[in-house]
Amino acid sequence: MHSATTVAEPRPTVADFHRVNRGGGLFSESVSQWLGAVFALVAQRLGLRPTALTITNLVLGLAASVTVVALAGRVAAGAVPAWLVGLVALVGWQVAYALDCADGQLARVTGQGSAAGARVDVLCDVAAQIALVAALSATAVAQRPSTPTWLVATFAGTWMVNLVTSVMQAGPNAASMVTSTSLPVRLVKLVRDYGAVIFVAGLVLMAAPALVFWVIVAFTVVNGGFLLASIAFSARASL
């Protein structure tokens, strides 16, 4: 009498998790999504659910941003080294974003996706990005007290354009103004690649926090311009 043998299904690999990533731009796909795939693999081995990664992403992102806000004045006064606070922000934001990439990868590979999980993911992204905007704004004001209130408000509002358009592009009515995937186009799109943006923000906080004022000016112009272009593109398509 022969006993039946069961062939165990192969465990997913880092490449399997990375294969189902949702992009995000040249930097995100080359760095953040790969790191996210590693986190997703570890989470799968530990039996964690995607929402556990989502919440960890939120906690780390908030902790890094709150640290920057709390110490912005002391950094401006020279009482705390800028490189140390900037390093905390750089590492914290990058790891948090990688976890944000990982939760979706884990959900898709293991079949644990749900509408509730997707809502939690978006809400945590909103909270983390509000905190990040607060951190950059607090630094700009601390370094340059004459920073106009209207600039900070406009920066905060236009920053969310990235998140809103990302959510819209995940739906059935998604459309892109520039569909080319050539390297020059992808390099230009780095200005809207979240992984690249927070990497640059962290480096500026480390090396030259006085320049954060110009960082928020630049991103206000970029995101505001993209919003206007998106409105024009969508209006033209609807007509």
Side-chain angles (χ1 to χ4, degrees), residues 57-84:
N57 149 40
L58 176 62
V59 171
L60 282 178
L62 289 179
S65 296
V66 168
T67 299
V68 174
V69 172
L71 298 176
R74 299 188 66 187
V75 169
V80 173
W83 69 265
L84 181 58

Side-chain angles (χ1 to χ4, degrees), residues 179-222:
T179 56
S180 173
T181 57
S182 66
L183 182 58
V185 171
R186 300 194 78 197
L187 288 174
V188 171
K189 285 185 174 183
L190 281 174
V191 296
R192 302 194 66 253
D193 181 332
Y194 185 71
V197 167
I198 58 176
F199 181 73
V200 171
L203 287 180
V204 173
L205 284 172
M206 284 181 64
L211 295 181
V212 170
F213 170 84
W214 295 108
V215 169
I216 71 172
V217 168
F219 283 111
T220 298
V221 172
V222 169

Side-chain angles (χ1 to χ4, degrees), residues 3-11:
S3 58
T5 58
T6 302
V7 179
E9 293 186 4
R11 286 184 170 186

Side-chain angles (χ1 to χ4, degrees), residues 31-32 35-36 39 53-54 56-61 64 87-103 194-195 198:
V31 179
S32 308
L35 184 56
F39 288 153
L53 301 183
T54 304
T56 306
N57 149 40
L58 176 62
V59 171
L60 282 178
L87 182 61
V88 169
L90 178 65
V91 174
W93 290 338
Q94 287 295 327
V95 172
Y97 180 49
L99 287 167
D100 185 35
C101 297
D103 60 11
Y194 185 71
I198 58 176

Side-chain angles (χ1 to χ4, degrees), residues 30-151:
S30 302
V31 179
S32 308
Q33 294 287 4
W34 276 110
L35 184 56
V38 174
F39 288 153
L41 178 69
V42 173
Q44 189 266 337
R45 297 288 194 269
L46 295 176
L48 300 178
R49 294 187 63 82
T51 299
L53 301 183
T54 304
I55 299 301
T56 306
N57 149 40
L58 176 62
V59 171
L60 282 178
L62 289 179
S65 296
V66 168
T67 299
V68 174
V69 172
L71 298 176
R74 299 188 66 187
V75 169
V80 173
W83 69 265
L84 181 58
V85 176
L87 182 61
V88 169
L90 178 65
V91 174
W93 290 338
Q94 287 295 327
V95 172
Y97 180 49
L99 287 167
D100 185 35
C101 297
D103 60 11
Q105 295 177 16
L106 180 64
R108 287 185 285 276
V109 169
T110 61
Q112 298 183 75
S114 67
R119 288 195 297 271
V120 172
D121 186 31
V122 172
L123 293 172
C124 286
D125 287 346
V126 172
Q129 293 197 33
I130 289 174
L132 187 146
V133 167
L136 295 179
S137 299
T139 300
V141 172
Q143 294 286 333
R144 187 168 179 161
S146 61
T147 300
T149 303
W150 64 263
L151 174 61

